Amino acid sequence: MNTALSDTAGKLVGGAAQLIMRVGYNGFSYADLAERFGIRKASIHHHFPSKVDLVVAVVEQARAGIRAQIAALEEGSPVAIDQLRFYTGYWERCIKDQSAPFCLAAVLAAELPGLPEEVAVSVRGHFADLGKWLERLLELGVEQGSVRLEASPDVEAQAFMAAVYGAMLAARAFDDPERFNVIVETLFRRIRA
């Protein structure tokens, strides 16, 4: 897939990401994007012939971000606990300012049984990428002496991811961004060496 998007395609991907975070895959259409950006639906189809193509591009853009973080981690030796804090801090800010009130991949994962297979493959890939990155960070944290694990790094990475996504869900369900922080702080107390 060509990751370089034209300005219009980039705006459409960003707009679709925002809509997915708020209303899910089935909750938006090209008509919503056309209205938002003041363009014709045919213009959207020029960039993304189908909604599947657009949503795959949205998820792949998120995956590219995770792969970039993984590459940065492998090139250097950052402080693992700081990287974990950066990750959760990103979500804390996004939830508070509503710029990304919920992870789009999580919204799509909840809809997985009804999604087209191409979208489902990208969503699963997103979680695999994130899980590998978290696993490597947790392993690095153990090596650095800042993290302690009760289970294997891969299991702990899945538990960390589940806690962060559960915290997002709780913040959304109770319309209380602070709930995210309380849950995440509990998570950090559990893994901090």
Side-chain angles (χ1 to χ4, degrees), residues 124-137:
R124 287 184 190 107
H126 169 85
F127 284 100
D129 294 345
L130 180 58
K132 287 177 191 170
W133 181 63
L134 290 171
E135 181 179 348
R136 179 64 190 120
L137 280 178

Side-chain angles (χ1 to χ4, degrees), residues 48-128:
F48 301 100
S50 73
K51 186 176 180 178
V52 169
D53 297 320
L54 173 59
V55 175
V56 167
V58 169
V59 177
E60 289 304 317
Q61 185 176 65
R63 289 183 71 191
I66 290 172
R67 286 191 295 271
Q69 286 292 329
I70 291 168
L73 176 64
E74 291 172 352
E75 288 175 12
S77 183
V79 176
I81 201 80
D82 291 346
Q83 289 291 314
L84 292 167
R85 284 276 184 199
F86 178 81
Y87 170 66
T88 60
Y90 166 80
W91 284 115
E92 178 185 350
R93 287 184 304 280
C94 291
I95 291 167
K96 280 185 180 175
D97 70 14
Q98 291 294 296
S99 60
F102 207 78
C103 173
L104 71 96
V107 171
L108 292 169
E111 295 181 83
L112 212 56
L115 292 178
E117 185 58 25
E118 300 93 331
V119 176
V121 166
S122 285
V123 170
R124 287 184 190 107
H126 169 85
F127 284 100

Side-chain angles (χ1 to χ4, degrees), residues 16-40:
Q18 289 294 316
L19 287 168
I20 291 167
M21 283 183 268
R22 286 173 171 49
V23 299
Y25 180 86
N26 292 311
F28 84 98
S29 69
Y30 276 17
D32 298 315
L33 289 169
E35 181 180 325
R36 179 176 183 172
F37 293 111
I39 60 176
R40 296 176 321 130

Side-chain angles (χ1 to χ4, degrees), residues 4-15 37 39 47-48 61:
L5 297 173
S6 71
D7 287 346
T8 301
K11 287 177 188 175
L12 292 169
V13 166
F37 293 111
I39 60 176
H47 295 282
F48 301 100
Q61 185 176 65

